[in-house]
Amino acid sequence: MQEILELTAVDAGRRIADGEISGEECFAAWAAAAGGDELNAYLWRASAETDGRSSRLPPVAVKDIFCTEGVPTTAGSRILEGYLPPYTATAVRRLAGEGAHVLGKTNMDEFAMGSSNENSGYGPALNPWDRERVPGGSSGGSAAAVAGGLAPWAIGTDTGGSIRQPASLCGIVGMKPTYGAVSRYGMIAFASSLDQCGPLTRDVADAAMLLSIVQGRDPCDSTSVGVDGGVELPTREDLSGLRFAVPTGLDMDGVETGVRATLEATLSRIEELGGEVGETALPSAEHGISAYYVIAPAEASANLARYDGVRFGIRVDAPELDAMYEATRDAGFGPEVKRRVMLGTYALSSGYYEAYYGRAQRVRTRIAEDFRAAFEEFDFVVTPTSPSVAFGLGDKVDDPLSMYLNDYFTVPMPLAGIPAISIPAGLAEPDGGGPQLPVGFQIAGPAFSENAILDAAFALERAIGFDARPPSS
Ligand code: GLN
């Protein structure tokens, strides 16, 4: 059984196909591992008896933002406590269709709003490298489960960084695909023009395999187009002929010393592998956070209007209808969700719409143009994924602005709609001292360049040879 848990998803799939292990055995091994969850990574777990039979691939941990028919789905919110969706999200359905069944539903920041998992209505997931620290967010449960040996692979969603940042803080691979590569059908909406589903995995090949399954056009989501020609398993061994750009428009002042050193070391590796490293401006990218924190709350304020005590989840009764709405939303939503709904409603209110929302949209267009210009000269734009290694539980909860700065390097890509991957690049101490913790390296490319990104990440991953494991697993 221990041996099954050591296999990557790609390898486990091959062994099942070759008849060396059975799908049932594989599911059972992972169900037992998930059963030992001490990280609060799961909000619900499948039982091996009911779900193991038709496995042709290892089971998958699914962020609790994906609707699963008859299985509790909360989006990390108390307002959806007890909600059993009547249908299953396309991404989850596609995985099951390939024999990768749901292992469990993972913890997350409420409605995917957060960078630490501390906004979950069900308590934070913990970082397996140090349980006093956050796993990142909002897909923190998925990242903690994969890094902590509680799941072979997982899916999450990324709106402003929620796959890449927790992958970085937990020392695993996470990828946000191009907007439209994966169907959003059945994914509970946060900010619909930004949300994308993607993989959180142990290595780049697993990410490619998972993405190859979930990507594709879906008649149920008119914004989905898939990746032309599909996604292939990566094979590249060097980076010759590829040009990587570090953006000068993004400020490195707030980046921890250890993270900066790891970035430098990774850039040298790229050159050793035959890649070229240069600089590009991306002059508008530094305004990404400001634009994102207008656009995402604006869309969220509209998307979250449906939680009113009438149709889904909990209801707090009151004599009048309006009072019932208010009491339900007051009891069901946490403080960050309330903050975003207020911000978004304000930004969209008449008289302020142009000043905030309209301007933010113009910044968004500029950022997309910046990337387009960069990709005329370079194949990829590279940055640290997160300015810091995993921080302590409680360190930033009372300071939303410093929490939002976690997304500094990850929000420009979803604003531009382009894909990006985070791979583990090494370990570093936090500023001020502490344990050695994972550092992520981000590679972004033009829209629908998933295969090129995965290929480059695959070559780089091999050269880096990151094989550290959390002390607790
Ligand atoms: N941390 C960002 C936020 O709080 C991004 C979240 C996400 O990508 N879902 O909005």
PDB file of all heavy atoms in Angstrom, residues 112-115 138 158-162 190 292-293 340 407, ligand 1:
ATOM      1  N   ALA A 112     -13.804  30.930  -2.369  1.00  0.00           N
ATOM      2  CA  ALA A 112     -12.488  31.113  -3.021  1.00  0.00           C
ATOM      3  C   ALA A 112     -11.895  32.496  -2.804  1.00  0.00           C
ATOM      4  O   ALA A 112     -11.036  32.937  -3.562  1.00  0.00           O
ATOM      5  CB  ALA A 112     -12.553  30.772  -4.515  1.00  0.00           C
ATOM      6  N   MET A 113     -12.365  33.181  -1.754  1.00  0.00           N
ATOM      7  CA  MET A 113     -11.831  34.509  -1.455  1.00  0.00           C
ATOM      8  C   MET A 113     -10.787  34.395  -0.349  1.00  0.00           C
ATOM      9  O   MET A 113     -11.131  34.294   0.829  1.00  0.00           O
ATOM     10  CB  MET A 113     -12.951  35.443  -0.999  1.00  0.00           C
ATOM     11  CG  MET A 113     -14.009  35.628  -2.071  1.00  0.00           C
ATOM     12  SD  MET A 113     -15.412  36.544  -1.431  1.00  0.00           S
ATOM     13  CE  MET A 113     -16.547  36.355  -2.803  1.00  0.00           C
ATOM     14  N   GLY A 114      -9.522  34.400  -0.744  1.00  0.00           N
ATOM     15  CA  GLY A 114      -8.482  34.349   0.274  1.00  0.00           C
ATOM     16  C   GLY A 114      -7.190  33.774  -0.250  1.00  0.00           C
ATOM     17  O   GLY A 114      -7.125  33.237  -1.362  1.00  0.00           O
ATOM     18  N   SER A 115      -6.149  33.906   0.568  1.00  0.00           N
ATOM     19  CA  SER A 115      -4.811  33.451   0.197  1.00  0.00           C
ATOM     20  C   SER A 115      -4.200  32.608   1.299  1.00  0.00           C
ATOM     21  O   SER A 115      -2.994  32.374   1.309  1.00  0.00           O
ATOM     22  CB  SER A 115      -3.906  34.664  -0.044  1.00  0.00           C
ATOM     23  OG  SER A 115      -4.469  35.517  -1.003  1.00  0.00           O
ATOM     24  N   SER A 138      -6.842  30.191  -2.440  1.00  0.00           N
ATOM     25  CA  SER A 138      -7.938  29.584  -1.719  1.00  0.00           C
ATOM     26  C   SER A 138      -7.991  28.060  -1.832  1.00  0.00           C
ATOM     27  O   SER A 138      -8.657  27.414  -1.028  1.00  0.00           O
ATOM     28  CB  SER A 138      -9.257  30.180  -2.217  1.00  0.00           C
ATOM     29  OG  SER A 138      -9.474  29.840  -3.580  1.00  0.00           O
ATOM     30  N   ASP A 158      -8.588  28.883  -9.799  1.00  0.00           N
ATOM     31  CA  ASP A 158      -7.690  30.026  -9.694  1.00  0.00           C
ATOM     32  C   ASP A 158      -8.406  31.218 -10.308  1.00  0.00           C
ATOM     33  O   ASP A 158      -8.810  31.185 -11.468  1.00  0.00           O
ATOM     34  CB  ASP A 158      -6.401  29.686 -10.453  1.00  0.00           C
ATOM     35  CG  ASP A 158      -5.262  30.670 -10.227  1.00  0.00           C
ATOM     36  OD1 ASP A 158      -5.521  31.886 -10.382  1.00  0.00           O
ATOM     37  OD2 ASP A 158      -4.139  30.235  -9.936  1.00  0.00           O
ATOM     38  N   THR A 159      -8.581  32.262  -9.497  1.00  0.00           N
ATOM     39  CA  THR A 159      -9.237  33.488  -9.942  1.00  0.00           C
ATOM     40  C   THR A 159      -8.203  34.611  -9.985  1.00  0.00           C
ATOM     41  O   THR A 159      -8.185  35.434 -10.891  1.00  0.00           O
ATOM     42  CB  THR A 159     -10.388  33.832  -8.980  1.00  0.00           C
ATOM     43  OG1 THR A 159     -11.279  32.718  -8.928  1.00  0.00           O
ATOM     44  CG2 THR A 159     -11.158  35.073  -9.411  1.00  0.00           C
ATOM     45  N   GLY A 160      -7.340  34.603  -8.945  1.00  0.00           N
ATOM     46  CA  GLY A 160      -6.265  35.586  -8.879  1.00  0.00           C
ATOM     47  C   GLY A 160      -4.955  34.949  -8.426  1.00  0.00           C
ATOM     48  O   GLY A 160      -3.986  35.654  -8.151  1.00  0.00           O
ATOM     49  N   GLY A 161      -4.973  33.632  -8.299  1.00  0.00           N
ATOM     50  CA  GLY A 161      -3.753  32.953  -7.848  1.00  0.00           C
ATOM     51  C   GLY A 161      -4.021  31.714  -7.009  1.00  0.00           C
ATOM     52  O   GLY A 161      -3.099  31.074  -6.503  1.00  0.00           O
ATOM     53  N   SER A 162      -5.278  31.370  -6.861  1.00  0.00           N
ATOM     54  CA  SER A 162      -5.679  30.355  -5.875  1.00  0.00           C
ATOM     55  C   SER A 162      -5.255  28.926  -6.150  1.00  0.00           C
ATOM     56  O   SER A 162      -5.424  28.075  -5.283  1.00  0.00           O
ATOM     57  CB  SER A 162      -7.192  30.385  -5.689  1.00  0.00           C
ATOM     58  OG  SER A 162      -7.525  31.398  -4.786  1.00  0.00           O
ATOM     59  N   PHE A 190     -17.222  32.653  -8.415  1.00  0.00           N
ATOM     60  CA  PHE A 190     -16.706  33.756  -7.596  1.00  0.00           C
ATOM     61  C   PHE A 190     -16.676  34.977  -8.518  1.00  0.00           C
ATOM     62  O   PHE A 190     -17.514  35.869  -8.413  1.00  0.00           O
ATOM     63  CB  PHE A 190     -15.337  33.344  -7.036  1.00  0.00           C
ATOM     64  CG  PHE A 190     -14.465  34.452  -6.508  1.00  0.00           C
ATOM     65  CD1 PHE A 190     -14.949  35.718  -6.218  1.00  0.00           C
ATOM     66  CD2 PHE A 190     -13.112  34.203  -6.254  1.00  0.00           C
ATOM     67  CE1 PHE A 190     -14.109  36.716  -5.717  1.00  0.00           C
ATOM     68  CE2 PHE A 190     -12.280  35.192  -5.757  1.00  0.00           C
ATOM     69  CZ  PHE A 190     -12.772  36.453  -5.504  1.00  0.00           C
ATOM     70  N   TYR A 292      -7.756  44.100  -9.884  1.00  0.00           N
ATOM     71  CA  TYR A 292      -8.369  42.829  -9.465  1.00  0.00           C
ATOM     72  C   TYR A 292      -9.323  43.039  -8.297  1.00  0.00           C
ATOM     73  O   TYR A 292     -10.422  42.470  -8.282  1.00  0.00           O
ATOM     74  CB  TYR A 292      -7.266  41.842  -9.081  1.00  0.00           C
ATOM     75  CG  TYR A 292      -7.787  40.538  -8.510  1.00  0.00           C
ATOM     76  CD1 TYR A 292      -8.135  39.479  -9.342  1.00  0.00           C
ATOM     77  CD2 TYR A 292      -7.952  40.371  -7.130  1.00  0.00           C
ATOM     78  CE1 TYR A 292      -8.619  38.291  -8.825  1.00  0.00           C
ATOM     79  CE2 TYR A 292      -8.440  39.183  -6.603  1.00  0.00           C
ATOM     80  CZ  TYR A 292      -8.774  38.149  -7.451  1.00  0.00           C
ATOM     81  OH  TYR A 292      -9.262  36.974  -6.934  1.00  0.00           O
ATOM     82  N   TYR A 293      -8.905  43.843  -7.325  1.00  0.00           N
ATOM     83  CA  TYR A 293      -9.747  44.012  -6.135  1.00  0.00           C
ATOM     84  C   TYR A 293     -10.909  44.990  -6.337  1.00  0.00           C
ATOM     85  O   TYR A 293     -11.631  45.304  -5.401  1.00  0.00           O
ATOM     86  CB  TYR A 293      -8.902  44.306  -4.888  1.00  0.00           C
ATOM     87  CG  TYR A 293      -8.352  42.991  -4.342  1.00  0.00           C
ATOM     88  CD1 TYR A 293      -7.072  42.549  -4.667  1.00  0.00           C
ATOM     89  CD2 TYR A 293      -9.160  42.148  -3.581  1.00  0.00           C
ATOM     90  CE1 TYR A 293      -6.604  41.317  -4.223  1.00  0.00           C
ATOM     91  CE2 TYR A 293      -8.697  40.916  -3.140  1.00  0.00           C
ATOM     92  CZ  TYR A 293      -7.427  40.510  -3.456  1.00  0.00           C
ATOM     93  OH  TYR A 293      -6.979  39.278  -3.020  1.00  0.00           O
ATOM     94  N   ARG A 340     -16.134  41.797   0.578  1.00  0.00           N
ATOM     95  CA  ARG A 340     -16.092  41.807  -0.897  1.00  0.00           C
ATOM     96  C   ARG A 340     -17.444  42.222  -1.478  1.00  0.00           C
ATOM     97  O   ARG A 340     -17.494  42.934  -2.480  1.00  0.00           O
ATOM     98  CB  ARG A 340     -15.720  40.430  -1.434  1.00  0.00           C
ATOM     99  CG  ARG A 340     -14.421  39.882  -0.889  1.00  0.00           C
ATOM    100  CD  ARG A 340     -13.234  40.220  -1.744  1.00  0.00           C
ATOM    101  NE  ARG A 340     -12.033  39.633  -1.152  1.00  0.00           N
ATOM    102  CZ  ARG A 340     -11.209  38.798  -1.770  1.00  0.00           C
ATOM    103  NH1 ARG A 340     -11.437  38.457  -3.022  1.00  0.00           N
ATOM    104  NH2 ARG A 340     -10.144  38.320  -1.162  1.00  0.00           N
ATOM    105  N   ASP A 407      -1.008  38.122  -3.819  1.00  0.00           N
ATOM    106  CA  ASP A 407      -1.409  37.862  -5.205  1.00  0.00           C
ATOM    107  C   ASP A 407      -0.670  38.736  -6.211  1.00  0.00           C
ATOM    108  O   ASP A 407      -0.988  38.708  -7.385  1.00  0.00           O
ATOM    109  CB  ASP A 407      -2.918  38.128  -5.371  1.00  0.00           C
ATOM    110  CG  ASP A 407      -3.760  37.396  -4.360  1.00  0.00           C
ATOM    111  OD1 ASP A 407      -3.385  36.269  -4.009  1.00  0.00           O
ATOM    112  OD2 ASP A 407      -4.784  37.940  -3.914  1.00  0.00           O
TER     113      ASP A 407
HETATM  114  N1  GLN B   1      -6.330  35.534  -3.107  1.00  0.00           N
HETATM  115  C1  GLN B   1      -7.156  36.057  -4.152  1.00  0.00           C
HETATM  116  C2  GLN B   1      -8.476  36.517  -3.593  1.00  0.00           C
HETATM  117  O1  GLN B   1      -8.613  36.498  -2.424  1.00  0.00           O
HETATM  118  C3  GLN B   1      -7.327  35.042  -5.228  1.00  0.00           C
HETATM  119  C4  GLN B   1      -8.372  34.060  -4.930  1.00  0.00           C
HETATM  120  C5  GLN B   1      -8.586  33.105  -6.040  1.00  0.00           C
HETATM  121  O2  GLN B   1      -7.787  32.993  -6.955  1.00  0.00           O
HETATM  122  N2  GLN B   1      -9.723  32.431  -5.972  1.00  0.00           N
HETATM  123  O3  GLN B   1      -9.363  36.901  -4.290  1.00  0.00           O
END
